[in-house]
Amino acid sequence: MKRFENKVVLVVGSTQGIGKAIVERFVQEGAVVAFTDITDDGFEQEDEYRRKGSETYYVKADATDENSARDTVKAVVDRFGRIDIAINNVGGQMKSDTPNLMFHETTTQGWNDTKDLSENSIYYYMKEELAVMVIQGNGVIGNTASVAGLKPQFSLGVTPAYAGAKASIMHLTRYAALQYAKLGIRVNAVAPGAVATEALKSSLTTEQLQTIIDKSQPNGRFVEPQEIAAAFAYLCSDDAISVNGVTLAVDGGMSVS
């Protein structure tokens, strides 16, 4: 059964890692998928999805630019007439946001750069998506948070800016869920733990990867991107029709360890 057949889904931050897995999951479940990222990779991926018979639409956009977010949402609505589901999968620590520093040693530049990517971007997209969904009278939004927003992880190099941004996303999720519930709109979040993306695996040695597992993963392995995608698929489906305002930790037990 294809749960999202004929549904229009927008995935923000979608050409690699978790985002790509989310796109692939919704494509497999029959959705019409618009997806956006800052790279050119999505154009080739769009062609690949289309060759396999899926209706997809790639928009190259900068999630940290409010005008770009507005234009992207407008482009999707102009093309498909609506947005039934939106997944805002944006975030990361910027290079200027140096890890493993004491709080008082961090820089304002690093703070602002990481907050722009990990918090402001989702705010920009949520504003536009909610405006569309209010007119429709229905819709579902899913935001990518992080276990870093649930518990301090400075031993793993998580910065105050990233942790604060992801904690904020969880609360913005609750805030919007409460405001828009009677308008037929649900808003939830997923908080991934340590996810085995290709970017992570290529940037660390086998020993470093094992150290992360030993320090933080009670289940003894990384979370797979497809497991995060599955969580979003559940939260955005009618199976979760009464699930609203929650942050679902998909972390192998990291958040409770």
Side-chain angles (χ1 to χ4, degrees):
M1 176 182 177
K2 294 186 175 182
R3 292 182 292 180
F4 302 107
E5 195 162 12
N6 299 321
K7 296 288 188 181
V8 177
V9 179
L10 170 62
V11 184
V12 182
S14 55
T15 59
Q16 61 181 339
I18 293 171
K20 187 176 182 182
I22 293 169
V23 171
E24 291 174 348
R25 178 62 184 250
F26 279 95
V27 163
Q28 290 166 7
E29 295 217 38
V32 174
V33 181
F35 61 113
T36 178
D37 215 319
I38 200 168
T39 73
D40 290 324
D41 297 343
F43 295 113
E44 183 177 340
Q45 292 170 8
E46 177 187 15
D47 289 341
E48 182 180 344
Y49 296 136
R50 285 180 173 273
R51 284 195 298 270
K52 294 177 180 178
S54 300
E55 186 171 4
T56 58
Y57 174 47
Y58 181 67
V59 182
K60 182 179 178 181
D62 180 359
T64 65
D65 184 302
E66 185 173 11
N67 291 327
S68 181
R70 182 182 302 115
D71 291 345
T72 298
V73 170
K74 183 178 184 302
V76 175
V77 174
D78 286 348
R79 188 176 182 107
F80 299 113
R82 65 189 194 279
I83 298 175
D84 298 302
I85 296 166
I87 308 293
N88 300 310
N89 175 65
V90 191
Q93 291 180 188
M94 300 298 283
K95 290 182 179 179
S96 57
D97 188 21
T98 307
N100 301 314
L101 296 179
M102 295 294 287
F103 197 113
H104 70 279
E105 297 173 323
T106 60
T107 67
T108 301
Q109 185 66 56
W111 172 272
N112 288 336
D113 289 346
T114 290
K115 295 278 275 188
D116 276 346
L117 178 62
S118 298
E119 181 178 353
N120 292 348
S121 58
I122 292 181
Y123 165 73
Y124 298 148
Y125 271 96
M126 282 183 69
K127 278 182 63 180
E128 303 303 323
E129 294 155 358
L130 286 165
V132 170
M133 291 175 181
V134 166
I135 294 172
Q136 295 173 175
N138 59 74
V140 184
I141 291 176
N143 296 319
T144 299
S146 171
V147 170
L150 291 169
K151 61 179 292 187
Q153 292 183 313
F154 40 81
S155 64
L156 296 177
V158 175
T159 65
Y162 184 74
K166 289 305 184 179
S168 175
I169 294 307
M170 295 180 200
H171 199 59
L172 289 177
T173 294
R174 291 187 288 267
Y175 193 100
L178 184 59
Q179 276 200 319
Y180 292 86
K182 290 184 178 179
L183 299 177
I185 300 166
R186 296 190 296 114
V187 188
N188 293 296
V190 173
V195 181
T197 62
E198 290 302 321
L200 176 69
K201 290 188 287 188
S202 65
S203 65
L204 300 175
T205 66
T206 302
E207 290 74 17
Q208 289 171 322
L209 292 169
Q210 189 59 49
T211 297
I212 294 174
I213 292 173
D214 293 341
K215 280 186 175 182
S216 65
Q217 293 298 117
N219 63 341
R221 67 170 179 85
F222 284 100
V223 178
E224 295 296 329
Q226 293 77 13
E227 295 170 329
I228 306 301
F232 274 117
Y234 162 68
L235 289 173
C236 294
S237 74
D238 287 343
D239 291 335
I241 196 69
S242 293
V243 181
N244 195 23
V246 308
T247 295
L248 177 60
V250 182
D251 62 359
M254 179 190 289
S255 56
V256 296
S257 64

